[in-house]
Amino acid sequence: MDVQLLAVPYDSGNYRMRMGNGPEALLRAGLEQALRDNGHTVQTKAAELPDDWWPSEIQTSFELMRMLSVAVRLAVESDHLPIVLAGNCNTAVGTLAALGDVGVAWFDAHGDFNTPETTTSGFLDGTAVAIITGRCWKQLTVTIPGFQPIADERVCLIGTRDVDSLESKLLADSNVDVITPDEPRSHLPRTLNSIGQHVERMYVHLDLDVLDADVAAANKFAVAGGLTIDDIEYALSEIARTFRIAGITLSAYDPTADTNGAAARAAIRLICAAAGLARPM
């Protein structure tokens, strides 16, 4: 497989801060070589804004989405599997804009289903899935080349366990399937079969804090009760059994939280697993 790594070293509009340090930390930890050792060819590019860019969470995040839409489209057109290394989950909006008609398997401890009207933290990244399903930031998403909202029936959340109260109501009122950490083996096949009625390709989104905090501390948002590495690898194999994996994101890795290196090792293992299950374009 020809792989295009796309590093987006930003967190909430800030360059190389907190989770924005994650993409380059994974590259330094040997991700490229690990992929090559698994038989892939690897090219790497990084998204960087001009030096005089004023960091603003909303403006900067949407500019990165626009840049990523173009970069992912170029990767796909050159028959490369796009793998995005991102500080924030909302980069998926740009990635999905370029991938076209796909389903979404969203591995995350959090729902990311808040809107500006429901969030109590004001954290833009907590609205990522609400954005991709067309619930908010509509005037900005139309500026992202190729963006179209993805129907709820094509989206599933996997390993989700930390959801705000108003966000929970939004999810309950939606048609997005939520698979809690104790349900992958019992519920995931049925959910994937349902999504498979609509699409043949799947985007895999791996927010590293989907892992149980006792397995690896991915970032300061990590919480207990999550998935094991084996759980995620099982889920990836089930996804690949039904769909062609069209693109992958690994997000939300903060190396300062990873005091023993377990999260970096898990991230590299999971990226290699997902890439290994992807079939050529």
Side-chain angles (χ1 to χ4, degrees):
M1 177 71 70
D2 295 324
V3 169
Q4 178 67 70
L5 290 176
L6 296 165
V8 189
Y10 290 82
D11 181 353
S12 304
N14 295 288
Y15 182 52
R16 291 178 172 168
M17 295 184 66
R18 200 173 61 171
M19 296 181 294
N21 281 316
E24 291 167 331
L26 292 175
L27 295 175
R28 290 193 301 270
L31 173 59
E32 292 160 304
Q33 189 58 51
L35 286 164
R36 293 188 181 105
D37 290 346
N38 279 273
H40 307 290
T41 64
V42 182
Q43 297 180 10
T44 304
K45 295 180 180 178
E48 293 188 9
L49 295 166
D51 291 341
D52 60 353
W53 183 275
W54 184 262
S56 167
E57 181 179 22
I58 296 171
Q59 182 185 34
T60 302
S61 296
F62 276 90
E63 179 62 16
L64 291 168
M65 295 175 205
R66 288 186 281 267
M67 293 172 63
L68 199 51
S69 172
V70 174
V72 171
R73 189 174 304 280
L74 290 173
V76 171
E77 289 174 351
S78 62
D79 295 324
H80 283 68
L81 173 70
I83 301 179
V84 178
L85 310 175
N88 291 139
C89 293
N90 57 45
T91 54
V93 180
T95 301
L96 287 163
L99 293 179
D101 195 26
V102 295
V104 176
W106 193 275
F107 293 81
D108 200 320
H110 309 93
D112 291 355
F113 212 68
N114 272 306
T115 69
E117 289 74 29
T118 65
T119 180
T120 57
S121 68
F123 187 33
L124 179 65
D125 219 27
T127 69
V129 180
I131 297 173
I132 68 174
T133 55
R135 285 175 165 79
C136 57
W137 300 108
K138 297 178 184 180
Q139 293 303 309
L140 283 168
T141 56
V142 297
T143 69
I144 301 169
F147 177 78
Q148 293 291 330
I150 296 179
D152 290 2
E153 293 81 5
R154 302 182 180 197
V155 180
C156 64
L157 306 183
I158 305 170
T160 303
R161 57 198 183 275
D162 188 9
V163 181
D164 297 337
S165 58
L166 293 176
E167 179 186 29
S168 179
K169 185 177 187 307
L170 287 179
L171 274 170
D173 291 341
S174 78
N175 288 314
V176 172
D177 250 358
V178 180
I179 299 171
T180 59
D182 59 343
E183 294 178 328
R185 286 169 172 77
S186 59
H187 287 61
L188 183 61
R190 182 179 62 196
T191 293
L192 295 178
N193 181 66
S194 178
I195 295 175
Q197 306 305 307
H198 305 285
V199 293
E200 296 179 350
R201 301 182 305 136
M202 184 72 81
Y203 163 71
V204 173
H205 185 92
L206 295 166
D207 181 320
L208 201 56
D209 68 21
V210 75
L211 287 167
D212 190 290
D214 289 336
V215 173
N219 54 51
K220 74 171 191 175
F221 305 107
V223 291
L227 299 181
T228 66
I229 295 172
D230 286 345
D231 289 334
I232 299 173
E233 289 181 334
Y234 162 78
L236 292 172
S237 68
E238 287 297 308
I239 290 166
R241 192 188 310 275
T242 307
F243 303 92
R244 183 160 63 82
I245 294 174
I248 302 162
T249 292
L250 190 291
S251 70
Y253 171 57
D254 180 356
T256 64
D258 185 21
T259 55
N260 61 3
R265 291 190 294 273
I268 292 172
R269 175 173 163 178
L270 292 172
I271 291 169
C272 288
L277 291 165
R279 300 191 292 274
M281 302 293 179

